[in-house]
Amino acid sequence: MTVNIENNEVKGGVLTSFRTKFIALIGTAVLLSLLLSGGVALWNVHQLSRDASREIEQGLSEATEQYLTRYIDMTAQRATLMFARTFDQVTALAQLSQSLIDDPQLGKDLGSFLDRHPAFQDKMNYNAAARWSQNQPGEPSVISVWSYLLDAAGNMRPDVADAVRGTSFFDLVVPSLMGTGQSKLQMYYVGPKSRPIMRTMPYSDQAQTFDKLYPGNNDQNFWDFFFPGVYEAWQRWLKDPGSRPAPTDITIVAPYIDAITGKLIVSYFHPLYTKQRDDVEGMVAVDITLEQLTELVQGVKIADTGFAFLAQQDGNVLTVNTAGEALLGIEQENATGSGVTGINRILSKSRFADVAALKMPAADQTLISHVTVERDGKPEGLLIALHPLQQMNLWQPNAGIVPERLMLGFVVPDREIYASLYAAQKQIDAATTRIVEGILISVIAFLIAVLAVSIMVSRRFTAGLVALADAATRLTRADYNVQVPVRGRDEVARVTAAFNSMARDIRNHTETLEQRVADRTRELASATEEIQQLYEKLRDENLRMGAELDVARRLQMMVLPNISELSGIPELEMASYVEPADEVGGDYYDVLYAPGGAKIGIGDVTGHGIESGVLMIMVQSVGRALYERGIEDPCAFLEVLNTAIYKNIERTKTGKHLSLAFVDYSSEQLTISGQHEEAIIIRNDGSAQRIDTIDLGFPIGLEENIHGLLSSVTVPFQSGDMLILYTDGITEAESEDGVLFGIERLVESACRVHRQTAVEAKTAIIADVRAHIGKQKVHDDITLVVVKHR
């Protein structure tokens, strides 16, 4: 016998005795008392600091958010006013142009009047190398006529020449519009798709620039090359004005870099319509720079380093200062589209996750968000306010005309908003630190004093316990003669006496332990030998039963139809699949053939295993014998087979029976008899017919006489039709979620493959069943027979 008593020594040789524990208990009690009182004081200090900080933070946040909301609303109103002024000017030009279209005689008279004045005569020059025609430099506006509007000699088509004369009023009206309102880069007119001439003021090398920057533009229609989808959208607006994203005909182009000036511009398009308002007659347009909006945005001053930016509703930042671009973690990329080069500086692509996840506000709302970014490698909090401008119609190269609300954004660092809060928190933290330091010094001093007193007192009370600890250590080292002197009559003395008695008992018990161990070892050896003999008997019995099951399984598989039998019926193409759940299955199927017809059997013996497999062999043997005797009546066939099987079951006392059905084929007809699962016929046209066999028979082997319980049904079976026979192992196959495969899935699977061969259909259906089962264990025998009329 071994006594396991914990060693009283710990790492470093420090004695973990009762004396030490006594001192630790006293010190812990004192320490906890001091910590509790100090903790209450600290909690009160921290609670006061939190309350003060919370009040300051809440007040600053509310004031800042109200200030930002008012400021951004005012700035948004100024930006909306800038857009409105441009809207008014392009609308005025469009109304004038539309009035000339609606009154053709007025337009013709005005053109004739202006033709008499040299200042309004367009002197066109044909550039044979470039294949376009353009008026001479020095005129107020430039008019470009593309190659597909000219004949082989470079002359304008008559309708194009009329259109050029019809736009001469541009030089009379546009100069005054260019000189008023918001600064404009250019104003221009583009004709309809049938004659898209382009007149632009002021004069520039328009056609030359297009050839240089946009090769191929002279060979394609202007609208399809530069602004695909705009023309077609305006045509839809004519039919359904309600389809406009915004209730105006003005369409803006997403800000892009102008090819001529290199400036960031926005184009405002206003469509012109025919007099009958049944088609588009071109457009007038204004290009403005974003300098004024940029100045408006960059002129925003918030705190020390706060800034503003302008973005599209998809987060594409159009204008922001350099420091703001870096703080938001975005970079500018040129986005080339159809004829224009835009700006791609998307917030969702920011390298800071909080900025990338910013949500855009709904209409007429200001959304304020708190995000965290990095500045100089350190995290920094930002307050971002977003406010949408008025909704407009926006054309984008790959999206067509969509609703757009430009977003005005204000950004201000948290440290500037909460500077006073941080200062107050710093002072509170300093005061709290001083209080904590004072409490800790007091606790340490008082604890030292308590420990000194505890050591002196513990030496007097723990001498007996120390002696007991030393004796216990000797006992663990097999010194069973150890005894401790008993002093006094207190609890320690009583424990000492009990220890001495225990030591004597251990000594006496140890002396007889070796003999007991030897006896027990002999008993275990004898038991081990008996277990080994029993194991060998079980192993031999398992080998014998395995061999018997293998023989039964091989016999069962031998009586199933082989491939040559399945392929030997001239009018029928057959395929089968059999998988028993155990070594020996209880499913039955057979194919019996004689010239002029065939008989196909399908059945399922109750249960599975060797008894079910033997009954299946009996049914096959009796069925073969009856077929060879020429019994053609399906009901008589089943009646005789049932009698034979019933008597065999009575003899073997197995208590088994089976469901069994036969299908007789002859002269493109199927006669079905017997009770089993539903028979499925997929017709050549893909329709499915299910034949219930519940009223066609009775379980075989359950009753000796089943005369009067049998019936049959005859259905056509023609070329291209497919017959599906199966056992319940197919329809009751469970998925991993416990869902059955079911008759409906079987019908759907068969319908999908009814055009394929019988072998291909069988393979596909079994694959569907396997996919449904997944990794589940197969719990029942699976049998499938596919018969297709050639």
Side-chain angles (χ1 to χ4, degrees), residues 51-65 418 421:
D51 292 343
S53 299
R54 189 182 302 111
E55 291 293 332
I56 296 173
E57 181 179 2
Q58 183 176 355
L60 283 174
S61 296
E62 291 178 356
T64 301
E65 290 182 3
Y418 301 115
L421 172 64

Side-chain angles (χ1 to χ4, degrees), residues 468 483-484 486 491-505:
L468 274 175
Q483 293 288 297
V484 179
V486 179
E491 287 81 359
V492 175
R494 292 163 60 186
V495 172
T496 302
F499 175 84
N500 291 337
S501 175
M502 179 187 68
R504 289 191 296 271
D505 291 341

Side-chain angles (χ1 to χ4, degrees), residues 93 111 189 215 239 316 325 440 555 631 663 722 733 742 760 768:
L93 180 59
Y189 162 84
K239 298 178 181 179
N316 183 21
E325 185 177 62
L440 289 176
L555 284 173
I631 299 178
V663 178
M722 179 182 289
E760 291 171 342
D768 287 347

Side-chain angles (χ1 to χ4, degrees), residues 204-267:
S204 65
D205 293 333
Q206 183 170 263
Q208 296 90 329
T209 302
F210 282 9
D211 283 349
K212 179 180 178 181
L213 297 179
Y214 312 123
N217 77 92
N218 199 27
D219 297 323
Q220 297 185 41
N221 191 281
F222 176 92
W223 291 101
D224 296 332
F225 184 84
F226 286 102
F227 304 107
V230 171
Y231 202 90
E232 291 75 13
W234 289 342
Q235 288 175 324
R236 289 193 297 272
W237 291 1
L238 273 174
K239 298 178 181 179
D240 181 14
S243 64
R244 298 177 300 178
T248 176
D249 281 347
I250 296 177
T251 302
I252 67 171
V253 178
Y256 61 95
I257 300 173
D258 180 56
I260 297 176
T261 64
K263 295 181 178 180
L264 185 64
I265 68 171
V266 175
S267 293

Side-chain angles (χ1 to χ4, degrees), residues 400-416:
I401 299 179
V402 297
E404 171 65 36
R405 291 184 184 272
L406 295 181
M407 297 290 167
L408 190 61
F410 282 5
V411 182
V412 59
D414 286 349
R415 57 184 169 79
E416 297 179 8

